[in-house]
Amino acid sequence: MDEQTARQALLDAPGTVMLGHTPAGETILALLDEHFPGRQFCLVRNWIWIDLDLPDDVREEMSRMQLQPVMLYGDVLIDSLGRFEGGDWLRSTPLVSFSQGCLFETRDTVHVLLGHGLRKRAELSAMVKIFRAEGD
């Protein structure tokens, strides 16, 4: 499976609606400053929360690394480091923590989930083929 096929399979898969956050810009920055001061961030819309299907040994290794078997896919609105332009899409690295109903933290970035999104399942092997990762 190539990148385009993996990406299209994810987009076409059925999902369950999840609620994100719809605050004003100043509220988002205050929320980030309160919970993750100084961290780089990315505002993401049209997002997909991806629960990963993976072998038990990989799940155990992720747990040892304090990572959860979840990735994020979505459209970038703003990236604080300028790695992505508005309108680009990204695939995150695995989840470290999720808080406030909208703050999806990976090792390097806090993603703010704006608006509603979808929750889907996907194979880890398919997700690693979607290349435009955040760079954790």
Side-chain angles (χ1 to χ4, degrees), residues 17-22 44-48 113-118:
V17 174
M18 287 182 70
L19 302 179
H21 200 48
T22 55
V44 182
R45 60 183 170 197
N46 302 321
W47 50 271
I48 302 171
L113 307 182
L114 301 175
H116 299 326
L118 293 172

Short mmCIF file of all heavy atoms in Angstrom, two decimals, residues 17-22 44-48 113-118:
data_model
loop_
_atom_site.label_atom_id
_atom_site.label_comp_id
_atom_site.label_asym_id
_atom_site.label_seq_id
_atom_site.Cartn_x
_atom_site.Cartn_y
_atom_site.Cartn_z
N VAL A 17 -18.45 10.44 15.47
CA VAL A 17 -18.23 11.88 15.71
C VAL A 17 -17.69 12.10 17.12
O VAL A 17 -18.17 11.49 18.09
CB VAL A 17 -19.53 12.68 15.50
CG1 VAL A 17 -19.34 14.14 15.89
CG2 VAL A 17 -19.99 12.58 14.05
N MET A 18 -16.69 12.96 17.22
CA MET A 18 -16.13 13.41 18.51
C MET A 18 -16.20 14.92 18.55
O MET A 18 -16.08 15.58 17.51
CB MET A 18 -14.65 13.00 18.65
CG MET A 18 -14.41 11.55 18.89
SD MET A 18 -12.62 11.20 19.08
CE MET A 18 -12.25 11.94 20.67
N LEU A 19 -16.34 15.47 19.74
CA LEU A 19 -16.38 16.92 19.89
C LEU A 19 -14.98 17.45 20.15
O LEU A 19 -14.22 16.88 20.92
CB LEU A 19 -17.29 17.30 21.05
CG LEU A 19 -18.74 16.82 20.96
CD1 LEU A 19 -19.51 17.26 22.20
CD2 LEU A 19 -19.40 17.33 19.70
N GLY A 20 -14.65 18.54 19.51
CA GLY A 20 -13.40 19.24 19.76
C GLY A 20 -13.70 20.51 20.52
O GLY A 20 -14.62 20.55 21.34
N HIS A 21 -12.99 21.56 20.23
CA HIS A 21 -13.13 22.81 20.95
C HIS A 21 -13.37 23.94 19.95
O HIS A 21 -12.76 23.94 18.88
CB HIS A 21 -11.85 23.06 21.75
CG HIS A 21 -12.00 24.03 22.87
ND1 HIS A 21 -13.02 23.97 23.78
CD2 HIS A 21 -11.24 25.09 23.23
CE1 HIS A 21 -12.88 24.96 24.67
NE2 HIS A 21 -11.81 25.64 24.34
N THR A 22 -14.21 24.89 20.29
CA THR A 22 -14.48 26.01 19.39
C THR A 22 -14.34 27.35 20.10
O THR A 22 -15.21 28.20 20.02
CB THR A 22 -15.89 25.89 18.77
OG1 THR A 22 -16.84 25.77 19.84
CG2 THR A 22 -16.00 24.71 17.85
N VAL A 44 -5.61 22.31 14.66
CA VAL A 44 -6.02 21.32 13.65
C VAL A 44 -7.54 21.28 13.56
O VAL A 44 -8.23 21.25 14.57
CB VAL A 44 -5.48 19.92 14.02
CG1 VAL A 44 -5.85 18.89 12.98
CG2 VAL A 44 -3.98 19.95 14.22
N ARG A 45 -8.04 21.26 12.32
CA ARG A 45 -9.48 21.12 12.10
C ARG A 45 -9.70 19.95 11.14
O ARG A 45 -8.74 19.42 10.58
CB ARG A 45 -10.07 22.41 11.54
CG ARG A 45 -9.47 22.81 10.22
CD ARG A 45 -10.02 24.11 9.74
NE ARG A 45 -9.22 24.52 8.59
CZ ARG A 45 -9.18 25.72 8.11
NH1 ARG A 45 -9.90 26.66 8.64
NH2 ARG A 45 -8.43 25.99 7.07
N ASN A 46 -10.95 19.55 10.99
CA ASN A 46 -11.28 18.38 10.16
C ASN A 46 -10.39 17.20 10.55
O ASN A 46 -9.79 16.54 9.71
CB ASN A 46 -11.12 18.69 8.67
CG ASN A 46 -11.98 19.85 8.24
OD1 ASN A 46 -13.11 19.98 8.67
ND2 ASN A 46 -11.44 20.71 7.39
N TRP A 47 -10.31 16.95 11.84
CA TRP A 47 -9.37 15.99 12.37
C TRP A 47 -9.98 14.60 12.52
O TRP A 47 -11.20 14.44 12.61
CB TRP A 47 -8.80 16.48 13.71
CG TRP A 47 -9.85 16.94 14.68
CD1 TRP A 47 -10.38 18.21 14.79
CD2 TRP A 47 -10.51 16.16 15.66
NE1 TRP A 47 -11.32 18.24 15.78
CE2 TRP A 47 -11.42 17.01 16.33
CE3 TRP A 47 -10.43 14.83 16.05
CZ2 TRP A 47 -12.24 16.57 17.38
CZ3 TRP A 47 -11.24 14.38 17.07
CH2 TRP A 47 -12.13 15.25 17.72
N ILE A 48 -9.08 13.62 12.57
CA ILE A 48 -9.46 12.23 12.79
C ILE A 48 -8.58 11.68 13.92
O ILE A 48 -7.35 11.71 13.83
CB ILE A 48 -9.27 11.36 11.53
CG1 ILE A 48 -10.10 11.92 10.37
CG2 ILE A 48 -9.65 9.91 11.82
CD1 ILE A 48 -9.80 11.24 9.03
N LEU A 113 -7.51 20.43 18.96
CA LEU A 113 -8.54 19.87 18.09
C LEU A 113 -9.71 20.84 18.03
O LEU A 113 -10.44 21.00 19.00
CB LEU A 113 -9.00 18.51 18.60
CG LEU A 113 -7.88 17.49 18.86
CD1 LEU A 113 -8.47 16.16 19.31
CD2 LEU A 113 -6.99 17.31 17.65
N LEU A 114 -9.88 21.48 16.89
CA LEU A 114 -10.92 22.49 16.71
C LEU A 114 -12.15 21.90 16.04
O LEU A 114 -12.02 21.16 15.05
CB LEU A 114 -10.38 23.65 15.87
CG LEU A 114 -9.17 24.38 16.44
CD1 LEU A 114 -8.66 25.41 15.46
CD2 LEU A 114 -9.50 25.02 17.78
N GLY A 115 -13.30 22.24 16.54
CA GLY A 115 -14.54 21.75 15.96
C GLY A 115 -14.71 20.26 16.16
O GLY A 115 -14.01 19.63 16.94
N HIS A 116 -15.66 19.70 15.45
CA HIS A 116 -15.92 18.26 15.54
C HIS A 116 -14.93 17.50 14.68
O HIS A 116 -14.45 18.00 13.67
CB HIS A 116 -17.34 17.93 15.09
CG HIS A 116 -18.40 18.60 15.90
ND1 HIS A 116 -18.28 18.85 17.25
CD2 HIS A 116 -19.61 19.07 15.56
CE1 HIS A 116 -19.36 19.43 17.70
NE2 HIS A 116 -20.20 19.60 16.68
N GLY A 117 -14.66 16.27 15.09
CA GLY A 117 -13.81 15.38 14.32
C GLY A 117 -14.41 14.00 14.30
O GLY A 117 -15.55 13.80 14.71
N LEU A 118 -13.64 13.04 13.83
CA LEU A 118 -14.09 11.66 13.77
C LEU A 118 -13.10 10.76 14.49
O LEU A 118 -11.89 11.02 14.49
CB LEU A 118 -14.21 11.19 12.32
CG LEU A 118 -15.30 11.85 11.48
CD1 LEU A 118 -15.16 11.42 10.03
CD2 LEU A 118 -16.67 11.50 12.02
#
